[in-house]
Amino acid sequence: SIKFEVAIVTGNLPADYYELITPSNVHDDLNYGYEYENLIGTYRVVRGNSELPDEIYIPEYYDGIPVTEIGILDWDSDSEPYYDSPFRDKTNITAIYISEGIKGIGHYVFYGCSNLTNIIIPEGVSILGSRVFQYCDNLTSVTIPASVKHIGVGNTGGIFYQCSKLKKIIVNEGNQNFSSDGIILYNKDKTEIIDYSLASGEVTILEGI
């Protein structure tokens, strides 16, 4: 038999190395946990410790079980999604790599990640919760796949509130619910403005709105 000593290494690790390894249902401030969804047999990523690497990798599977959600998608209370948002206010994070298989990104998940510069949401994600990117001060571009069907709207601004450097919202042309033009997010027919950034400049309101 062989015994392996396993240590938890802190610091800036390569994106393909760092995985979240704390057992399910752990909500200790010193740990980073997956919460197991017993009814559907998947994991979701919840809560994070105070120190995380600059680059984060969300794996497709944990312990042989699919990881399908990041953060809380339900509004059971006004505070729960905020405190169970794993990357909220992690100002050191510069890159987040999300594996295919994620179906939903919950409320506040990247809220306050002020050094995150761009993010590609993978195909398969269907829900973006409220305030996902609020106060991402250095975010310059976001790519939204064809699979997104719902984008939450918070009562203190949309998902791009205070994203003052956002230059481009890219919506896959195959998306049946949303479209974009520069820094403005529209419904598919561009008859309704869904969200926009705080970047300054000229905006043309399209006919029909």
Side-chain angles (χ1 to χ4, degrees):
S1 63
I2 300 175
K3 180 180 179 181
F4 291 93
E5 294 287 341
V6 179
I8 297 177
V9 182
T10 59
N12 297 329
L13 302 175
D16 59 354
Y17 177 88
Y18 185 78
E19 292 191 5
L20 313 177
I21 60 176
T22 306
S24 62
N25 295 315
V26 174
H27 292 290
D28 192 308
D29 288 340
L30 299 177
N31 292 317
Y32 197 105
Y34 287 106
E35 180 177 330
Y36 186 60
E37 301 278 10
N38 289 303
L39 295 177
I40 57 175
T42 67
Y43 280 106
R44 69 181 177 194
V45 183
V46 292
R47 297 204 182 186
N49 61 15
S50 58
E51 295 183 7
L52 291 174
D54 294 349
E55 295 188 347
I56 298 294
Y57 171 67
I58 305 297
E60 189 170 357
Y61 291 90
Y62 172 72
D63 198 23
I65 297 174
V67 179
T68 60
E69 295 181 12
I70 307 172
I72 304 296
L73 295 170
D74 298 325
W75 284 111
D76 293 333
S77 71
D78 190 48
S79 61
E80 181 180 287
Y82 184 76
Y83 290 108
D84 279 342
S85 174
F87 306 114
R88 176 180 57 85
D89 294 328
K90 301 299 189 295
T91 58
N92 66 298
I93 294 176
T94 58
I96 298 174
Y97 304 94
I98 304 174
S99 302
E100 293 184 3
I102 297 294
K103 305 299 182 187
I105 298 176
H107 312 290
Y108 297 98
V109 165
F110 305 119
Y111 180 103
C113 290
S114 56
N115 281 304
L116 182 65
T117 57
N118 59 77
I119 188 166
I120 298 175
I121 300 167
E123 191 64 44
V125 172
S126 61
I127 298 174
L128 294 177
S130 300
R131 311 179 191 183
V132 174
F133 301 108
Q134 285 191 4
Y135 293 97
C136 290
D137 303 337
N138 285 295
L139 190 67
T140 59
S141 68
V142 176
T143 299
I144 298 174
S147 55
V148 171
K149 298 178 180 179
H150 176 77
I151 295 177
V153 178
N155 58 13
T156 57
I159 62 173
F160 301 117
Y161 182 71
Q162 294 290 349
C163 294
S164 57
K165 294 184 181 178
L166 189 63
K167 293 179 170 41
K168 190 177 295 185
I169 301 171
I170 304 166
V171 178
N172 187 294
E173 292 182 358
N175 192 297
Q176 298 300 306
N177 302 282
F178 303 101
S179 59
S180 62
D181 183 3
I183 58 171
I184 302 178
L185 179 67
Y186 295 94
N187 65 347
K188 183 62 176 179
D189 298 329
K190 292 188 176 180
T191 58
E192 178 184 354
I193 293 176
I194 305 297
D195 204 355
Y196 56 91
S197 77
L198 290 181
S200 61
E202 295 183 357
V203 173
T204 301
I205 306 300
L206 302 179
E207 290 287 340
I209 292 181

